[in-house]
């Protein structure tokens, strides 16, 4: 809908956020029709392409538009025999290629209902280029400058992946709003393509409650089966592991739905019992409490240094290789604190943790899964840990960041704290070189960021980061995890929750929010700019399938919402409504 067709329509400055009620605010420059995917360095002889996307509920006249840059293309002009060809339908995606439509469609398996235009003249620059989408009058509709090096993701440079815009409602000419496609080819002409946000196993080495993680779900295990070790010393430290398989957790087979990290060491089906051993060194302080979380399908018996410390899903009494589990697990889940261990059993120095995993005799398709996390809480009481590592994002100097979140009720200043790439006990004092010299004041429920390269935390994989108190010894929080270099970050959501994800949208110094619910349903569809540069009306579109009551929502043009305009009424599914405003 355009209430004033005689007025020119400026591109919206907009983003969609949340503050109690959902609000609309005009912030970063976004485009109505935008460059949404770029395949600038395909594999082999596959054609280059650019995808454009109409991010509005309105048809747009694209006759005689042009694509400019290393590659150039002029869109067809108006043709009375096919007048709709000059219009881009609401929310349509069009693929422009260096090859003809037939070749491009076959190369990328593009659906028949997706328009493919081409061939263009020239080539996209493999080192980087500025691409412009111009209207018939030469005005820039959308533009972006991509590069083949950091901070742009490397997988798009000959790796077969396309660059994909993360959020069409944010600024397009910003590397932070681009990511590589989740699959090779980039799925041109479809909404899918961006690398997905996925949950990951908790990377905390020192947890938010002050526990040190000694064994984690992705720790390495030695595994054997097909034998009865009941009468052997397999649970002892010096037992030989000849012909045992070694691999990282989780260990198993056949399980279709598992918590992260999923099965990383597959084993053969067909046995009742699977034997696992993990040898580790513990140099921490004597523990006041030791607990185990585990993922077990179906049952298991646990031993620390040849002493049974607990069992789950197993009958009481002696256990042999043919003893079945006492429960039948469907989809295994993480079971918290299923075992409490006597701290006296954990030795300073070398230890061995042994586990025998047993199957339930089910007539259904068998499956097996095992992984565990052993946590030690030091004696002397837990130190209050209100500041946590909340998000990390790799990149070059000035681009990467490590984010801290203050989950407490008091202001915290990180000045004098240390950010280290290893445990302080594993580093000589002279190597603990990065002590935070400046004031880094974090208000309650707020954030602060630092550059990881200064501390030697990055560039290294996995990213290992220890936040240490000013005494240089007390670890407040620590993580160790591989971090993707495809434009995603590793972070907690909700903030400080202990639930970790590869986040599709890095959010330095801000909450790790997921675009969902009403935030993805209600869209700013059009705005009108008055001659003095202010916005005098705004149009909202409901892209969802449910009616939305607008009472309690407001529009604003300022970050502090000082000029907010309240909304009222309701918006039916696929409905459009405009509001008079005066936003500067």
């Amino acid at each position: 809908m355009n209430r004033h067709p005689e007025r020119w329509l400026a591109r919206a400055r907009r983003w969609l956020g949340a503050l109690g009620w959902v609000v609309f605010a005009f912030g970063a420059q976004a485009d109505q029709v935008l460059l949404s995917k770029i395949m600038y360095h395909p594999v082999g002889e596959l054609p280059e392409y650019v995808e454009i996307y109409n991010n509005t509920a309105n048809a747009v006249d694209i006759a005689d538009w042009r694509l400019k840059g290393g590659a150039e293309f002029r869109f067809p002009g108006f043709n009375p025999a096919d007048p709709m060809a000059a219009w881009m339908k609401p929310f349509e995606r069009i693929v422009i290629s260096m090859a003809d439509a037939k070749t491009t469609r076959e190369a990328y398996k593009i659906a028949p209902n997706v328009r493919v235009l081409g061939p263009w003249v020239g080539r996209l620059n493999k080192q980087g280029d500025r691409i412009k989408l111009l209207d018939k009058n030469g005005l820039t509709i959308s533009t972006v400058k991509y590069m083949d090096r950091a901070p742009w993701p490397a997988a798009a440079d000959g790796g077969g992946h396309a660059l994909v815009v993360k959020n069409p409602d944010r600024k397009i000419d910003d590397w932070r709003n681009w990511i590589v496609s989740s699959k090779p080819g980039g799925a041109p002409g479809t909404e899918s393509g961006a690398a997905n946000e996925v949950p990951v196993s908790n990377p905390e080495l020192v947890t938010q409650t002050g526990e040190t993680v000694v064994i984690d779900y992705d720790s390495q295990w030695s595994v054997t089966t097909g034998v009865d070790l009941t009468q052997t010393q397999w649970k002892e430290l010096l037992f030989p592991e000849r012909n045992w398989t070694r691999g990282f957790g989780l260990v198993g087979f056949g399980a279709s739905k598992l918590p992260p990290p999923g099965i990383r060491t597959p084993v053969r089906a067909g046995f009742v019992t699977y034997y696992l051993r993990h040898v580790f060194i513990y140099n921490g302080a004597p523990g006041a409490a030791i607990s185990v979380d585990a993922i077990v399908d179906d049952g298991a018996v646990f031993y620390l240094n040849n002493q049974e410390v607990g069992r789950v899903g197993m009958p009481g009494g002696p256990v042999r290789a043919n003893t079945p589990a006492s429960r039948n697990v469907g989809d295994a889940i993480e079971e918290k604190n299923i075992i409490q261990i006597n701290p006296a059993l954990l030795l300073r120095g070398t230890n061995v943790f042994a586990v025998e995993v047993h199957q339930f005799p089910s007539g259904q398709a068998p499956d097996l899964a095992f992984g565990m996390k052993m946590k030690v809480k030091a004696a002397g009481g837990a130190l209050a840990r209100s500041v946590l590592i909340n998000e990390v994002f790799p990149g070059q100097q000035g681009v990467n960041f490590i984010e801290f979140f203050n989950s407490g009720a008091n202001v915290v200043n990180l000045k004098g704290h240390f950010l280290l790439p290893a445990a302080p006990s594993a580093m000589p004092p002279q190597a603990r070189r990065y002590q935070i010299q400046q004031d880094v004041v974090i208000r309650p429920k707020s954030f602060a960021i630092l550059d990881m390269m200064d501390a030697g935390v990055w560039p290294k994989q996995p990213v290992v980061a220890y936040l240490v108190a000013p005494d240089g010894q007390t670890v407040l929080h620590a993580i160790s995890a591989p971090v993707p270099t495809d434009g995603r970050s590793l972070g907690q959501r909700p903030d400080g929750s202990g639930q970790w994800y590869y986040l599709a949208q890095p959010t330095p110094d801000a909450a790790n929010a997921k675009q969902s619910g009403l935030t993805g349903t209600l869209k700013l569809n059009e705005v009108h700019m008055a001659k003095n540069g202010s916005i005098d009306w705004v149009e909202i579109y409901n892209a969802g399938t449910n009616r939305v009551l607008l009472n309690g929502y407001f529009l604003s043009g300022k970050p502090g919402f000082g000029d907010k305009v309240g909304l009222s009424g309701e918006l039916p599914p696929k409905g459009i409504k405009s509001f008079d405003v005066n936003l500067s």
Side-chain angles (χ1 to χ4, degrees):
M1 179 179 69
N2 190 339
R3 303 187 324 170
H4 307 289
E6 72 282 2
R7 299 180 181 179
W8 60 278
L9 181 64
R11 291 190 301 276
R13 292 180 173 268
R14 66 190 185 230
W15 57 265
L16 189 59
L19 180 66
W21 291 101
V22 174
V23 301
F24 298 94
F26 296 90
Q29 180 79 28
D31 304 334
Q32 288 183 293
V33 177
L34 56 113
L35 299 161
S36 52
K37 290 179 188 172
I38 304 170
M39 176 62 84
Y40 71 90
H41 192 172
V43 172
E45 299 302 317
L46 290 174
E48 302 167 0
Y49 71 81
V50 170
E51 178 194 272
I52 63 173
Y53 172 56
N54 180 4
N55 192 31
T56 74
N58 305 312
V60 177
D61 181 2
I62 58 173
D64 294 312
W65 281 21
R66 287 174 293 157
L67 189 71
K68 296 279 289 184
E72 300 203 3
F73 178 78
R74 180 179 289 275
F75 289 71
F78 178 77
N79 183 359
D82 187 11
M84 295 308 299
W87 291 84
M88 194 173 187
K89 296 188 288 291
F91 305 110
E92 183 183 8
R93 296 174 186 271
I94 297 177
V95 179
I96 305 103
S97 173
M98 65 176 287
D100 60 84
K102 183 176 183 296
T103 301
T104 305
R105 197 179 299 278
E106 291 176 351
Y108 292 102
K109 306 296 187 290
I110 301 174
N113 61 331
V114 176
R115 270 199 277 180
V116 180
L117 304 178
W120 64 41
V121 176
R123 299 291 295 266
L124 296 176
N125 193 317
K126 290 180 172 56
Q127 284 73 50
D129 199 0
R130 175 165 293 282
I131 303 175
K132 291 184 179 182
L133 182 65
L134 309 177
D135 70 7
K136 66 179 67 178
N137 297 313
L139 297 176
T140 300
I141 301 299
S142 183
T143 183
V144 64
K145 182 178 181 179
Y146 68 87
M147 302 293 290
D148 69 337
R149 51 195 174 274
W152 289 83
D157 185 21
H161 295 260
L163 295 172
V164 183
V165 75
K166 295 178 184 176
N167 188 338
D169 293 325
R170 296 193 180 226
K171 185 178 180 181
I172 302 305
D173 194 12
D174 186 338
W175 66 266
R176 292 169 295 184
N177 198 23
W178 289 83
I179 198 168
V180 294
S181 58
S182 58
K183 296 180 180 179
T190 69
E191 183 176 1
S192 63
N196 296 324
E197 177 173 297
V198 296
V200 297
S201 56
N202 191 318
E204 297 171 27
L205 298 172
V206 175
T207 70
Q208 301 173 17
T209 56
E211 298 166 309
T212 299
V213 178
V214 178
I215 302 175
D216 211 343
Y217 287 115
D218 57 0
S219 295
Q220 189 177 51
W221 293 86
S222 298
V223 187
T224 191
T225 192
V227 293
D228 186 349
L229 299 182
T230 307
Q231 303 301 320
T232 71
Q233 287 74 48
W234 75 278
K235 299 172 291 231
E236 294 185 358
L237 176 62
L238 298 180
F239 183 79
E241 296 177 354
R242 291 188 296 270
N243 300 321
W244 288 50
T245 299
R246 288 177 176 82
F248 298 96
L250 303 177
V251 176
F253 62 84
S256 59
K257 185 178 181 181
L258 288 171
I263 291 176
R264 299 175 66 197
T265 300
V267 293
R268 285 197 302 132
F271 304 101
V272 174
T273 302
Y274 297 75
Y275 298 96
L276 297 89
R277 289 166 47 92
H278 175 73
V279 177
F280 63 97
I281 296 174
Y282 179 70
N283 288 325
I290 304 175
S291 62
V292 171
D293 306 335
I295 299 169
V296 181
D297 181 352
D298 292 299
V301 185
F302 300 80
Y303 308 89
L304 176 58
N305 293 323
N306 202 29
Q307 297 294 314
E308 181 179 338
V309 293
R311 57 181 69 188
V312 59
M314 292 295 294
V319 175
R320 300 188 63 86
N322 60 355
T323 302
S326 61
R327 67 177 187 178
N328 184 17
V329 175
D331 292 324
I333 62 172
E334 182 183 31
E335 300 176 82
K336 295 280 193 177
N337 300 315
I338 60 171
I339 297 174
Q340 305 297 319
I341 300 177
N342 180 357
L345 295 177
L346 181 62
L347 309 175
R348 282 184 62 85
T350 306
N351 298 259
V352 60
F353 208 108
V355 184
E356 49 184 297
V357 183
H358 291 250
Q359 288 277 275
F360 181 84
S362 172
Q364 302 174 354
D367 56 1
L368 176 94
F370 176 77
M372 61 170 277
K373 175 182 288 188
M374 188 174 82
K375 303 166 292 181
V376 179
K377 181 175 287 187
L383 180 70
R385 289 168 165 80
S386 62
V387 176
L388 311 167
I389 298 170
N390 195 57
E391 186 179 5
V392 293
F393 180 72
Q396 62 189 16
Q397 192 92 37
V399 171
N400 78 84
F401 67 83
I402 182 167
E403 178 188 80
F404 304 96
F405 173 64
N406 182 359
S407 63
N410 300 309
V411 174
V412 175
N413 190 347
L414 293 184
K415 183 177 181 180
H417 288 66
F418 292 84
L419 180 61
L420 303 178
S425 60
M427 301 178 67
Q430 63 270 22
R432 301 172 205 159
R433 60 187 178 86
Y434 187 64
Q435 187 173 26
I436 301 172
Q437 302 295 327
Q438 72 275 27
D439 286 320
V440 181
V441 178
I442 314 178
R443 299 189 305 275
K445 312 304 179 189
S446 296
F447 310 87
I449 59 173
L450 292 173
D451 191 293
M452 293 190 291
M453 294 186 73
D454 294 333
V457 172
W458 178 258
K460 294 178 181 178
Q461 288 281 23
V463 171
V464 179
Y466 282 76
L467 177 63
V468 180
D471 63 9
Q473 294 293 329
T474 305
V475 178
L476 302 179
H477 198 213
I479 65 167
S480 174
V483 179
T485 56
D486 58 4
R488 292 179 291 177
S489 65
L490 170 72
Q492 302 188 61
R493 197 188 70 238
D495 300 295
S497 66
Q499 301 175 56
W500 291 80
Y501 296 82
Y502 287 148
L503 299 170
Q505 179 69 55
T507 53
D509 209 13
N512 295 335
K514 181 179 182 181
Q515 184 171 343
S516 61
L518 290 176
T519 312
T521 297
L522 296 178
K523 294 181 177 291
L524 295 168
N525 196 55
E526 290 188 20
V527 301
H528 183 264
M529 308 288 285
K531 291 183 178 180
N532 64 2
S534 66
I535 300 171
D536 58 8
W537 60 266
V538 177
E539 184 178 87
I540 300 175
Y541 171 69
N542 178 8
T545 57
N546 298 312
R547 186 177 300 271
V548 177
L549 295 176
L550 297 176
N551 297 335
Y553 296 85
F554 59 86
L555 294 158
S556 177
K558 296 181 177 179
F561 310 129
D563 59 350
K564 65 181 181 181
V565 177
L567 305 182
S568 61
E570 60 182 34
L571 199 55
K574 312 304 178 186
I576 295 175
K577 190 172 184 177
S578 58
F579 298 87
D580 291 319
V581 296
N582 183 16
L583 305 177
S584 57

